[in-house]
Amino acid sequence: MSPRDTASPAQETAAGRASSAHGHDQPRVALVTGGSRGIGRETVNRLAADGYAVVVGYAGNRDLAEAAVKDVTAAGGRAVAVQADVADDEQVAALFDTAESEFGGVDVVVHAAGRMHLAPVAELDLAELDALHRTNIRGTFVVGRQAARRLRGGGALVTFSTSVVGLALPRYGAYSASKGAVEALTMILARELRGRDVTVNAVAPGPTATDLFLEGKDEQTVARLAAGPPLERLGTPGDIAEVVAFLASPAGHWVNGQVIRANGGIV
């Protein structure tokens, strides 16, 4: 008996998706916004390790983005860095154009780019609210629009929310509100893509040890946050990248229209 004869229906379906979408010789292609640092950077490495060709989207730090590409190529993978403001429709369209011209198409979009600003609602600078809205809400719409138009069958869009939507921590009002909008958009987009064989999910990390998270926090604050989850530690970018990799993979394809709170049980 050949391996084909013993494959389960699920395995055959996954294999069929991969081959019918773009042939056996083509790698799956992932586009990761915010791919130069933090969770995005770890996701780039994780998906490259799974054999994806990766487009590393970045906002401003070319050096970090190029370093991410070097990490992938040094390990034998394929990657390219492309600068794009996620809220700019033309720049995001060009980001997807590059994925298609360099690697033949787009199978997975991970929208990890985001902005954070903390302040009590009563003291919030409304210019900061507008900036959060532009990056976190408009940016997710712009990236989601292109993903909805261009993802190949068997593909996945993964957006990013935050477990603070559930925790409701003081000073996170504007940030959490922007991510609540991301969750609503994600749920609706999953349903709008009926018939396309494309999944849409949001990952909502808890406190995660990234430069962005640790910046400006003293050791006491970090220790208190680390003690919050029943697992009694901060998350790592690798913890979150594993969840993204699962959702992106054929193994995770039955998970659709969900918000996955990856936070060690903090909420």
Side-chain angles (χ1 to χ4, degrees), residues 56-78:
V56 181
Y58 69 98
N61 198 317
R62 177 180 295 277
D63 290 345
L64 284 178
E66 293 292 353
V69 169
K70 275 184 187 164
D71 283 351
V72 171
T73 53
R78 298 170 68 196

Side-chain angles (χ1 to χ4, degrees), residues 21-104:
H22 42 86
H24 292 288
D25 55 339
Q26 292 294 316
R28 280 168 65 88
V29 180
L31 189 160
V32 182
T33 69
S36 64
R37 56 189 297 202
I39 291 167
R41 172 76 172 267
E42 193 65 31
T43 298
V44 166
N45 291 339
R46 182 63 182 76
L47 293 178
D50 275 354
Y52 290 82
V54 186
V55 176
V56 181
Y58 69 98
N61 198 317
R62 177 180 295 277
D63 290 345
L64 284 178
E66 293 292 353
V69 169
K70 275 184 187 164
D71 283 351
V72 171
T73 53
R78 298 170 68 196
V80 61
V82 181
Q83 185 171 15
D85 171 359
V86 294
D88 185 305
D89 192 45
E90 288 187 6
Q91 291 184 29
V92 171
L95 185 63
F96 279 76
D97 289 344
T98 300
E100 291 174 348
S101 62
E102 290 283 326
F103 302 127

Side-chain angles (χ1 to χ4, degrees), residues 140-141 144 157-162 165 179-194 198-204 247 255-261:
T140 303
F141 266 89
L157 168 62
V158 181
T159 65
F160 269 85
S161 179
T162 171
V165 171
K179 293 301 191 175
V182 169
E183 292 190 7
L185 169 63
T186 301
M187 299 305 95
I188 289 168
L189 191 52
R191 286 148 182 84
E192 288 182 351
L193 294 186
R194 173 182 292 274
V198 168
T199 63
V200 187
N201 295 286
V203 176
L247 293 172
V255 180
N256 188 28
Q258 304 299 315
V259 177
I260 309 297
R261 285 184 177 167

Side-chain angles (χ1 to χ4, degrees), residues 4 9-24 26-28 52 107 152-156 196-199 246-255:
R4 181 74 179 172
Q11 287 170 324
E12 289 185 359
T13 302
R17 273 201 305 269
S19 61
S20 65
H22 42 86
H24 292 288
Q26 292 294 316
R28 280 168 65 88
Y52 290 82
D107 301 289
R152 296 189 281 206
R196 286 278 305 281
D197 192 27
V198 168
T199 63
F246 171 71
L247 293 172
S249 74
H253 203 66
W254 190 235
V255 180

